[in-house]
Amino acid sequence: MSSLRRRRYVLAGLLAAIGLIAVGILWAVVETVFFTVTVAYVLYPLRQRLVGRGVPRRIASGLVTTFAFLVVVILISPLVWTLFRRRDAIIELLGNLPDELPIEAFGVTYNVDVGGLVTSTSNALRDLAFSVAADSVFILLQLTLFTILLYGLLLRPSAVGRAVFEITPPSYHDVIRALHRRIGGTLYALYVIQAATAVLTFPVAFLVFFALGYEDVFVLSVLSGILQFFPIVGPGMLAVGIAGHDFLLGQTDRALAILILGPTIIGVVPDVLIRPKLATRQAHLPASLYFVGFVGGVLTVGVIGIIAGPLIVALLAEMVDLLSDGKMPEEG
């Protein structure tokens, strides 16, 4: 074995060992670091466009980082603020449900205990609101870490790439490029397309909920937008829950209306208007595999699995494609 190859393997081993140690020590912020890296992956083309138009790379990195910071704040603030301020109204809404729900089937009446479920849900909402308030300092620190790390990654985007190519034998560089393209396409689909769909979902949901006479129109519209990030179920899951609530209160007509309009109008219309226009750089990952990655990722590693699950499934699909082709992809 040549000294150059031995040096490459030693450096690769040290990188892996130090990486594992870093993950163990920095586990409390590993989710923030992971999300920041994936966001930098998506925003890198925007940074390159600014640099290509003559903007200095430091200023371009700063502008893109500021844009990402504002987007995160705009997305998080309404949900957190609404849940904290409207928790009493939500709990009161749950309190209007009957203690027992009689269900008749085959001539036998069953009484379902709704009161216990309402109590546990109300306690969970209170705990969530106070937890958000108590952890506000930690949230601010995470947001600060996100901003600083994102700026650093955008300022020197090629540093990691050079390290990976340095420790990887030249005959495998085309594989690295193929995985890089798959990562870029997957993250574009997960962030850009989903985010654009969620943004359009808000006004569509607002009109539907307002027309049907719901009181918490803003909260329901925000939740509908967020649920666009959930594959397959989406806002339809919220519509089913609202329809069940209306049914328990005796508002059968509105329950049927939201059960029909929720999945069709709120769930489908934004997809039809947004996805075809942004589909040119999708991950080319079937919905079934996306769902498996999403659910498996969330159940295994928590919130980070929303991105990590589909991403690892996409990389697995790419490796299967490379093996099934019987040849390595061409450079491009």
Side-chain angles (χ1 to χ4, degrees):
M1 181 183 295
S2 66
S3 59
L4 181 60
R5 182 177 299 179
R6 186 183 300 110
R7 173 184 171 82
R8 181 183 292 121
Y9 289 155
V10 170
L11 289 176
L14 288 175
L15 178 62
I18 295 174
L20 291 175
I21 295 173
V23 170
I25 295 176
L26 305 176
W27 184 254
V29 295
V30 69
E31 291 183 355
T32 303
V33 172
F34 176 81
F35 280 122
T36 306
V37 172
T38 57
V39 169
Y41 229 105
V42 174
L43 293 179
Y44 173 71
L46 177 59
R47 182 259 193 194
Q48 285 298 91
R49 279 189 189 177
L50 293 176
V51 172
R53 297 187 177 217
V55 180
R57 62 187 184 91
R58 290 185 179 274
I59 296 178
S61 301
L63 290 175
V64 175
T65 301
T66 302
F67 167 76
F69 174 84
L70 293 176
V71 169
V72 171
V73 171
I74 291 172
L75 290 177
I76 293 177
S77 297
L79 180 62
V80 174
W81 181 253
T82 301
L83 288 176
F84 183 73
R85 290 295 302 272
R86 300 289 292 175
R87 67 187 187 281
D88 292 333
I90 297 174
I91 293 172
E92 182 181 355
L93 186 67
L94 292 173
N96 292 329
L97 296 175
D99 292 334
E100 291 186 347
L101 174 64
I103 298 178
E104 186 174 349
F106 304 104
V108 181
T109 302
Y110 301 90
N111 291 320
V112 179
D113 182 16
V114 180
L117 179 61
V118 170
T119 301
S120 60
T121 304
S122 300
N123 293 335
L125 287 173
R126 287 195 182 96
D127 294 341
L128 175 63
F130 287 114
S131 175
V132 170
D135 294 341
S136 57
V137 176
F138 182 71
I139 294 174
L140 289 176
L141 288 176
Q142 297 253 32
L143 191 57
T144 302
L145 173 63
F146 168 82
T147 305
I148 295 175
L149 180 58
L150 180 60
Y151 175 76
L153 290 173
L154 291 175
L155 185 63
R156 298 187 60 191
S158 59
V160 176
R162 285 199 300 267
V164 171
F165 277 103
E166 181 65 27
I167 63 177
T168 305
S171 58
Y172 293 94
H173 285 182
D174 43 10
V175 176
I176 300 299
R177 294 188 183 94
L179 295 177
H180 168 73
R181 288 192 295 270
R182 177 63 72 127
I183 291 173
T186 302
L187 293 178
Y188 184 88
L190 291 174
Y191 280 119
V192 178
I193 297 177
Q194 292 294 115
T197 306
V199 169
L200 182 60
T201 298
F202 177 83
V204 174
F206 192 93
L207 292 176
V208 172
F209 289 127
F210 181 80
L212 294 178
Y214 287 98
E215 295 182 359
D216 297 314
V217 177
F218 180 81
V219 177
L220 295 176
S221 302
V222 171
L223 290 176
S224 298
I226 293 174
L227 287 174
Q228 282 288 9
F229 286 90
F230 288 73
I232 298 180
V233 289
M237 182 173 61
L238 178 63
V240 171
I242 296 174
H245 171 264
D246 287 344
F247 178 77
L248 292 175
L249 296 181
Q251 300 184 21
T252 307
D253 293 340
R254 194 169 73 170
L256 292 175
I258 191 60
L259 194 59
I260 296 173
L261 296 179
T264 56
I265 302 299
I266 302 176
V268 174
V269 169
D271 280 341
V272 173
L273 294 178
I274 291 293
R275 293 186 188 277
K277 296 180 180 180
L278 298 177
T280 55
R281 292 184 58 187
Q282 280 193 26
H284 304 294
L285 190 65
S288 57
L289 290 180
Y290 177 72
F291 184 71
V292 169
F294 179 90
V295 175
V298 171
L299 293 178
T300 304
V301 295
V303 177
I304 196 175
I306 295 175
I307 303 297
L311 182 59
I312 196 64
V313 171
L315 292 178
L316 178 62
E318 181 65 27
M319 292 305 301
V320 171
D321 289 343
L322 290 176
L323 290 174
S324 62
D325 286 343
K327 60 180 181 178
M328 295 303 175
E330 297 180 359
E331 295 186 12

